[in-house]
Amino acid sequence: MRVLVVEDHRTLSALIASGLRREAMAVDTAFDGRAALEQLAATRYDVVVLDRDLPGIHGDEVCRRMVADGSDTRVLMLTAAAAVRDRVEGLGLGADDYLPKPFDFAELVARIRALARRCAPAVPPILDNGDLTLDPARRVALRAGRRLDLSPKEFAVLQHLLAADGRIVSAEELLERVWDEAADPFTSTVKTTIGRLRLKLGQPPAIHTVREGGYRIGEP
């Protein structure tokens, strides 16, 4: 899942971003409306966490432009204003959900995941292939009943491959959907992560390399 956090308070932005990365999300950040629009034009995001009271281009205007451009990115609007009228205004602008500050981080994560499910093809709540099972909600992955000790990136790669349901997934796609803007596209980060994941999955091999194509779990 690729998420853009647009929040001008840098400490709060860093806390949100680091927390979401621990939940195996790829997270980029922007600190004002203009930067947010530039990143939205360059990258496909599943969800934008959008502070309403942004400097420069206001969060309301960012939301309006996203709607005008026909963006299918879901918008979760944040604001310090908790009045019903403010929530109604935010939703009326095209936001998909609204969360007043201060908020519980677990609720933020749950709302982001719920919004992401709306913009993605429907996938089973439990992903499996052969003796591999992954529960995205509980953040649990098993092989032959054995719980796997995976890092957030390893978990996200495994989740993306299982969700592909036998489709070949390129390294470029994994880099776009699992990593954030800080990732260097010219490094071997995807290959290295796949290598560590293969070691943890054990034998027989579960992830297959398709020459000049990418990676696949299971048959097409």
Side-chain angles (χ1 to χ4, degrees), residues 113-183:
R113 286 188 176 138
L115 289 176
R117 285 195 295 270
R118 295 185 200 172
C119 67
V123 295
I126 304 294
L127 300 170
D128 60 66
N129 188 287
D131 60 359
L132 269 175
T133 304
L134 184 143
D135 184 338
R138 293 173 55 225
R139 317 306 297 170
V140 172
L142 306 171
R143 184 162 200 193
R146 174 177 61 90
R147 185 162 182 160
L148 302 170
D149 181 18
L150 304 179
S151 71
K153 280 288 181 283
E154 291 161 357
F155 189 95
V157 168
L158 182 60
Q159 180 178 346
H160 196 81
L161 291 173
L162 284 170
D165 196 25
R167 177 177 61 84
I168 299 171
V169 179
S170 69
E172 291 77 13
E173 180 180 337
L174 286 171
L175 197 63
E176 178 186 347
R177 305 311 301 162
V178 176
W179 276 266
D180 54 33
E181 62 187 356

Side-chain angles (χ1 to χ4, degrees), residues 143 146 197-206:
R143 184 162 200 193
R146 174 177 61 90
L197 183 56
R198 280 174 165 152
L199 285 174
K200 292 182 178 181
L201 291 175
Q203 296 295 327

